Amino acid sequence: ILLQLTWEAIEDAGISPDVLAGDQVGVYVGASALDYANESLFDPNVATGHFMTGNTLSIISNRLSYIYDFKGPSFTVDTACSSSLVALHEAYRALNSGRIDCAIVAGVNVLASPFPFVGFAQATMLSSDGQCKAFDAKGNGYVRSEGGVALVIRRKDAPRWKGQRSHADIVAVDVNSDGRTVGMSLPSDVEQANLLERIYKSHDIDPNQLAFIEA
């Protein structure tokens, strides 16, 4: 999935993938599910020579570097629901440090096994009616989903490609941990607010000027 999405993202950025081959392009992928591997544990016949490299999170990112011949940092981030955003954070920091000029940031999730559904249901985390009702008093759990995304991000002061297209600027990134909360999988509204306040203050962003918030 990510091989195809990365190809499409590079094309959308206005450059041919072969132009980036051999360059110090970083690859930062957010992923946290091992559904294929979990399913395979019940069938020893699948333990072929390709099993280990086909069922580890680390290979998700490195497969992109291998196929496209990217020579920059390449790793997969697993921070559960925030994996892709933390991957973006790491890519942004690498770009700002001057380590790389260009990065592929991606995320992917596939629901291929029933076991996570069973486990999350037993933990009463899933919505019993299959609907997300975020910030609603009637919220009764979340809904698992699958999909993928790939972005090409580049330092603003890096030499522009001929025909380069840009859709947005990233003003700031930051991450934190909520520390000890009422439950290890439950967030802290106080610490999440502290993170936002730190971003706004350190980058002179007026929250009243934000067009919308996506959560």
Side-chain angles (χ1 to χ4, degrees), residues 61-70:
S61 51
N62 204 245
R63 182 180 288 113
L64 298 179
S65 299
Y66 173 77
I67 293 296
Y68 291 110
D69 195 25
F70 297 149

Side-chain angles (χ1 to χ4, degrees), residues 26 58 76-77 80 82 93-94 96 114 129 136 145 157 160 166-167 169 175-176 191 197 200 208:
S58 60
T76 305
V77 175
S82 62
R93 286 172 56 88
N96 267 8
D129 56 17
D136 193 317
S145 62
D157 60 354
R160 292 183 63 86
S166 178
H167 298 291
D169 289 337
V175 297
N176 76 339
E191 292 307 320
E197 185 177 23
Y200 296 153
N208 295 314

Side-chain angles (χ1 to χ4, degrees), residues 9-22:
I10 294 173
E11 282 190 326
D12 184 68
I15 192 170
S16 174
D18 62 346
V19 175
L20 296 178

Side-chain angles (χ1 to χ4, degrees), residues 30-35 57 60 76-81 83 108-109:
S32 61
L34 289 169
D35 282 21
L57 294 179
I60 297 177
T76 305
V77 175
D78 176 7
T79 56
C81 302
S83 298
V108 67
N109 193 51

